Amino acid sequence: MIDRTLLWQEIRMKASRSSGKGGQNVNKVATKVALVFEPAISNLFDEAQKQIVLDKLAYRISNEGLINVVCEEERS
């Protein structure tokens, strides 16, 4: 099992303003969160596990080897 504390040490997180609808709050509230993880240099996985992650998530990994997860909400 992966230690969540160690995992969060390897993930970079950035909050920013969402685009789109939202009225006055769209320029004031950070409602977009981006998480970035680089599995190839992770200390949490051995080499076999890293290869499994790289193979299974190949479509989600950028040319730089990063997994980017973005959650963005807007008011309706």
Side-chain angles (χ1 to χ4, degrees):
M1 179 171 272
I2 295 175
D3 185 335
R4 290 181 183 183
T5 305
L6 295 176
L7 177 62
W8 278 110
Q9 290 174 2
E10 293 192 4
I11 293 176
R12 291 177 296 202
M13 181 173 64
K14 180 181 178 185
S16 61
R17 296 184 189 109
S18 266
S19 61
K21 299 178 185 177
Q24 293 176 347
N25 279 333
V26 77
N27 295 322
K28 294 188 242 174
V29 181
T31 56
K32 177 179 178 181
V33 177
L35 302 177
V36 180
F37 177 66
E38 191 170 359
I41 64 166
S42 175
N43 293 318
L44 297 174
F45 305 115
D46 61 33
E47 291 305 314
Q49 292 170 323
K50 287 179 188 179
Q51 193 58 51
I52 291 170
V53 170
L54 294 172
D55 291 343
K56 298 263 183 188
L57 297 176
Y59 68 97
R60 301 273 309 170
I61 298 175
S62 70
N63 291 337
E64 295 81 26
L66 304 174
I67 297 175
N68 295 296
V69 178
V70 178
C71 179
E72 181 173 9
E73 293 186 13
E74 62 183 41
R75 288 179 52 188
S76 57

